[in-house]
Amino acid sequence: MNASAVINPGLVTPGDRLKNLLRGQFYLSAWRQLNRYQGKSRGRAGTGTVEHTQREDHHPRPVHQHWLSRKRLLIANGAFAIYATALAVDTGHADRTWAIWAAVGYGATTLILWLTRHKNVPVIIPLLVALAGALAAPVTWLVTRVAPTAEVQVISQSATLLLHHGTPYLAPGQLDTWLSYNPYMPVMAVFGMPKALGANGLLADPRVWLTAVSIALIWAAFTIAAPHRHCEDCRSNVMLSTVFIAASPVIAFPLAVGITDPPVIALMFLTLALIARPSGLIKAAAALGVACAMKATAWPAVPVFTVMLTARDGVRKAWRFAAATIVIAGVLAVLFAPEALANPYAFLQNTVLFPLGLTKHKTPAASPLPGHLLADTGMAGHWAAVGLLAAAGVAFVVWLIVRPPRDARAAAWRLAIGLTIMFTLAPATRWGYFVYPIGLVGWLLLTQRPTTATGGPPIEIPVQGAGEQVVPAAAR
């Protein structure tokens, strides 16, 4: 009998089959076919010994190798440590408190990653150190030992106003300082409700709830974006991505000092995860609608995603998504600020004119960016900055229409570019707003699909078992 007949039983002739049956070769070949992909133990015909095999598979299943390799984590946390150290030297107040804690956390994480670079230590362990040092510890310290930041005061005040007066906004005649303004959309007041309802201590501070909601939303977004739902590697990657993003300065720093961007960024992540699948459009609209009812910085995502859906799914589904987003945001705004309808000018003063720097009292949270520098030259310069921002917005819309993004990842890139331009040219802006485009880029990197290696058919390699002797192929 030739070798091909042993390997492929379908080529065995009736005469050879009888011979093989008598010699035991037929069953041996069939057993090999059943086990060649499994690497199981098998008996060697006519020897009474057992030969163990292992599989060398050139057609493996997709390996879910996370983009965050140990080397990249080492580089990232080293950069975070440098940033936090520089911030500790250059700033003061709550920012410096966070920076000191974070520098220690990132530094310890970098050291652990370096010392364990040749050891089989799960990278989630040093990342949890970063999460503790950059988020858990500074939030607890600032909440229990330091006076509330301006952002925390505004959220708490808006919740109290909503509870007692049905609106989170003061009337124009009551806006006597810049802290009197509430630039947030109505739903943001929900984070101040525990204190307004009488809570005390740690649970009364909006930062605790901002942190909890942001991390939960980030985890949900990465879970939905994972390639498989019931894959152990995918679940590990979801946890790794969630901890890394939550511990990074993009999320941890604003949460520690009470800045309200992280839950909005997390809702954008969730929208991107849902909108990537045509079946998730209504859920995506709900997520984005909640974000828009929290803060105005989420609204630029509406036209970007609508144009993307028009190119990918057609006009009908795109407009259904846009309409659902706007309706959900509007309904939530009315539910959380019913009395604001009676005084729309107060809403305009707080949420539109104050962020644009067009009110009597200006926000001190300004950075030396082009739009702000131009606005500082006088009223003419201020209107010039507003006009430049409007012109950039029109140009961006034209770009969207002429060359529309055709999937969720392209839409995320386009949104990151648009927000960068908007924050650069806005007359009242700050460096902190750039957490939006940076966060979107981070999302794109962390949700890259794994590559699949391919090659030739699998082959078997005999492996010597404990206490066994493997017979060389020539002696078989």
Side-chain angles (χ1 to χ4, degrees), residues 143-164:
V143 168
T144 58
R145 295 175 176 269
V146 180
T149 61
E151 292 82 2
V152 172
Q153 294 178 47
V154 170
I155 296 173
S156 299
Q157 173 184 275
S158 67
T160 301
L161 288 171
L162 177 60
L163 191 63
H164 292 94

Side-chain angles (χ1 to χ4, degrees), residues 16 24 36 45 81 88 133 155 162 190 203 206 293 314 341 376 398 428-429 454 461 467:
D16 287 335
R36 73 182 302 172
I155 296 173
L162 177 60
V190 73
L203 296 181
L341 296 175
D376 269 354
V398 172
T429 186
T454 58
I461 303 174

Side-chain angles (χ1 to χ4, degrees), residues 270-271 273-287 312 321:
L270 186 59
T271 304
L274 291 166
I275 209 171
R277 299 168 179 167
S279 60
L281 293 189
I282 299 302
K283 293 178 181 178
R312 191 189 73 180
F321 167 83

Side-chain angles (χ1 to χ4, degrees), residues 66-77 244 448:
H66 201 282
W67 182 85
L68 275 176
S69 63
R70 187 177 291 269
K71 181 179 179 180
R72 285 172 174 153
L73 283 171
L74 181 64
I75 295 172
N77 278 274
F244 175 78
Q448 292 185 90

Side-chain angles (χ1 to χ4, degrees), residues 405-424:
R406 299 188 178 276
D407 57 36
R409 295 184 66 81
W413 278 112
R414 200 70 66 90
L415 180 59
I417 294 171
L419 290 174
T420 301
I421 295 171
M422 184 179 78
F423 298 144
T424 301

Side-chain angles (χ1 to χ4, degrees), residues 191 209-219 242 246 251 255 260-264 266-267:
F191 294 105
W209 303 105
L210 286 167
T211 299
V213 170
S214 298
I215 292 177
L217 289 171
I218 291 170
W219 174 83
T242 301
I251 298 296
L255 283 176
T260 54
D261 299 311
V264 181
L267 283 166

Side-chain angles (χ1 to χ4, degrees), residues 13-14 40-41 47 72 77 118 147 158 180 189 208 223 251 265 296 300 318 320 323-324 333 335 344 362 398 418 451:
T13 64
K40 292 184 177 179
S41 301
T47 65
R72 285 172 174 153
N77 278 274
H118 300 307
S158 67
S180 303
V208 174
T223 299
I251 298 296
I265 295 172
R320 186 182 301 170
L335 289 176
K362 314 293 183 185
V398 172
T451 57

